[in-house]
Amino acid sequence: MKYELLIFDWDGTLCDSTGRIVDSMRSAAHETGLRVVHDSEIKNIIGLGLPEAIRTVWPEILEDQLPPMKAAYARHFVSDSPVMMSLFDGAAELLDRYAGTRRLAVATGKSRKGLDRILTDLSMHSVFDITRCADETRSKPDPCMLFEILSELNVSPERALMVGDTTFDLEMASAAGMHSVGMSHGAHDEARLLACEPRVICHSIQELTNWIETNG
């Protein structure tokens, strides 16, 4: 077994939530009076911590606009958005397959409150050995959250694999000296992911499972 620790991004990697994020961010911006942007601009920042994401899309935002924008986004994402989300096909099976035989972790741009809410809804808290969120450490692509995960679990970077759907995930893994796998079904397209030199690009969870069985 090459990788004793599998670290997953959440949105766009395990959970098909890209559409809901875009819809919620767009609705929150309209409510807060920020300018209209193209959906692609929002997709580009998925994976960052929420304050970093908002400031990237709307660099002109005033400091007193940020709290209401964050609150509006959270409300739309949790309850107001009509866009449905669910785990990608095969995600639950992949986690069940490796729970108990490998260490499992989440490294996400979500807030701690947001991740805990969805893990509670899915009864998945016990699946992961550790989780790290952007609001309790540094936002991706800074490797801090990966270093914290590795330190707490006492695993070397060479024995861990980062799985993500954005360049932020793959750049974070590279900065931590860790191998990565890119998932093409999320926020960033395959060409952008390939530029980060992951070990492989997978187009489905089943393809990821097969790759881990053969190479990991």
Side-chain angles (χ1 to χ4, degrees), residues 47-52 106-112 115 131-140 145 148:
L48 296 176
L50 184 55
E52 292 82 6
V106 170
T108 177
K110 298 184 80 65
S111 68
R112 169 53 59 189
L115 181 64
T131 60
R132 275 294 182 275
C133 299
D135 62 347
E136 59 193 11
T137 182
R138 296 175 187 167
S139 176
K140 303 172 185 180
M145 68 172 71
E148 291 173 358

Side-chain angles (χ1 to χ4, degrees), residues 85-112:
M85 62 179 179
S86 62
L87 293 178
F88 283 106
D89 288 345
E93 291 79 4
L94 179 147
L95 296 171
D96 285 345
R97 183 188 190 100
Y98 294 122
T101 62
R102 307 193 193 218
R103 317 295 287 278
L104 300 178
V106 170
T108 177
K110 298 184 80 65
S111 68
R112 169 53 59 189

Side-chain angles (χ1 to χ4, degrees), residues 124-137:
M124 291 181 66
H125 274 287
S126 62
V127 171
F128 300 102
D129 295 271
I130 186 173
T131 60
R132 275 294 182 275
C133 299
D135 62 347
E136 59 193 11
T137 182

Side-chain angles (χ1 to χ4, degrees), residues 44-210:
N44 283 339
I45 52 80
I46 292 176
L48 296 176
L50 184 55
E52 292 82 6
I54 293 170
R55 289 191 178 104
T56 299
V57 178
W58 293 279
E60 72 279 9
I61 191 170
L62 301 176
E63 205 58 38
D64 61 356
Q65 289 178 294
L66 187 59
M69 174 63 180
K70 290 168 58 179
Y73 170 78
R75 189 184 72 254
H76 282 285
F77 186 84
V78 171
S79 60
D80 292 352
S81 175
V83 180
M84 301 301 292
M85 62 179 179
S86 62
L87 293 178
F88 283 106
D89 288 345
E93 291 79 4
L94 179 147
L95 296 171
D96 285 345
R97 183 188 190 100
Y98 294 122
T101 62
R102 307 193 193 218
R103 317 295 287 278
L104 300 178
V106 170
T108 177
K110 298 184 80 65
S111 68
R112 169 53 59 189
K113 183 178 180 180
L115 181 64
D116 282 349
R117 181 189 300 111
I118 196 165
L119 291 180
T120 297
D121 289 346
L122 296 172
S123 300
M124 291 181 66
H125 274 287
S126 62
V127 171
F128 300 102
D129 295 271
I130 186 173
T131 60
R132 275 294 182 275
C133 299
D135 62 347
E136 59 193 11
T137 182
R138 296 175 187 167
S139 176
K140 303 172 185 180
D142 190 295
C144 185
M145 68 172 71
L146 292 185
F147 286 139
E148 291 173 358
I149 290 170
L150 293 172
S151 176
E152 187 157 335
L153 296 181
N154 193 28
V155 176
S156 67
E158 297 79 15
R159 298 283 290 162
L161 179 72
M162 177 70 208
V163 182
D165 69 303
T166 71
T167 58
F168 307 124
D169 299 312
L170 307 189
E171 289 168 0
M172 177 176 66
S174 179
M178 186 183 300
H179 286 168
S180 65
V181 170
M183 300 300 297
S184 68
H185 59 204
H188 291 178
D189 63 40
E190 186 170 349
R192 291 184 65 186
L193 298 176
L194 282 171
C196 297
E197 300 183 341
R199 299 291 288 174
V200 68
I201 300 291
C202 292
H203 304 90
S204 67
I205 295 294
Q206 185 57 57
E207 193 174 320
L208 171 64
T209 303
N210 294 341

